Amino acid sequence: MGTRKTTKPHLIALAIAGFSVGMMSAPLAEAAIVTQWEVTVDAKFDASSIVWRFGDAGTTVTDHQLRWGDPSPSTGPQSGVDITNSPAVTSVDTNGAAVGNIFLSHLNNPIVAGSPRPERFAIASTLTLTPLVPAGPGLPSVTQTFNVYFEETPNGANPCADGGANGVGVNLNGCGDIFVLDRDALNFMFTYDTGDGIDQQYFISFFELTSGLNPLPQTACDYVFNAQSLPTGSPCLGFVTPEDATTRVQFAAMITTAPVQIPEPGSLALAGLSLSLLGLLRRRWV
């Protein structure tokens, strides 16, 4: 199990003594790596996190379903978001490919302008990690919560809020709606000791599987950031959903021994970070 260890004063003294007599060339011990994990993801909407625009009249909130808006036409269905395939149990290789788990479906139905809709909600994912290779005792379950920012865009704009042309591609039926994932979905840090007495640091990240770590167009990011009163100009992860359609996207988990970062558009999806950046991530598995 990953535990926080107390440094013993006499070990510090020995280390200083060794340094003073020229032992700098002695090899440093390296932690054994868990190369494969069983990852269980049990995801729910966090009802307390929802920020409604234009009130919450007529909305529905359950663990796995959100519904909102006055249908247009009035006989039509509301818009909404569903979580399915939860809980999901998968095997994830350390520093390997992202592996899909839960699904998020957006029912992008026409609603009356100015009727209730969410601008922000959180997904609370309870994670249970168990080492498979080498096999070992599992870590205690913890819940990682991250925000999803949502903007129901003006259908008739041209260009659309994502920067694309109206009537083309994802904007074929009018401008698509935009989802942006909060950066807290990336680089949740934990440690694990395989039995060699050394805690190895790992990071687990969640993102939408199809786009992966490729950012949305900056125009789409800035549209959402501006609407949410957040600083603009930074790359973001997310997806765009077409109007008058149901879009089903799969989330995925990736486990790495160094943090991942959102790249600038067109750059590599994984980027090496300096050791100094590791100290910025203080969340630990407890």
Side-chain angles (χ1 to χ4, degrees), residues 36-191:
Q36 187 177 69
W37 303 82
E38 179 181 271
V39 179
T40 301
V41 180
D42 188 359
K44 300 176 181 178
F45 293 116
D46 179 358
S48 66
S49 72
I50 303 173
V51 176
W52 295 104
R53 191 173 294 175
F54 309 122
D56 60 357
T59 62
T60 299
V61 179
T62 70
D63 284 348
H64 298 118
Q65 184 182 90
L66 303 181
R67 291 291 183 273
W68 65 80
D70 299 329
S72 178
S74 59
T75 55
Q78 290 183 295
S79 281
V81 178
D82 293 340
I83 293 174
T84 56
N85 196 42
S86 179
V89 182
T90 60
S91 295
V92 179
D93 292 338
T94 301
N95 297 325
V99 178
N101 43 67
I102 68 166
F103 287 91
L104 192 72
S105 297
H106 179 212
L107 290 67
N108 195 349
N109 298 317
I111 61 173
V112 176
S115 62
R117 66 177 187 263
E119 60 179 21
R120 186 184 311 172
F121 57 87
I123 295 176
S125 294
T126 300
L127 312 175
T128 306
L129 303 184
T130 304
L132 296 179
V133 182
L139 287 159
S141 297
V142 298
T143 300
Q144 177 192 19
T145 301
F146 55 90
N147 284 317
V148 179
Y149 301 101
F150 170 72
E151 285 299 323
E152 191 139 2
T153 65
N155 291 343
N158 197 11
C160 292
D162 68 344
N166 201 326
V168 178
V170 72
N171 301 315
L172 181 63
N173 299 323
C175 295
D177 294 342
I178 305 173
F179 290 79
V180 169
L181 307 183
D182 188 81
R183 289 173 181 262
D184 281 347
L186 301 179
N187 298 322
F188 187 89
M189 191 188 80
F190 65 99
T191 61

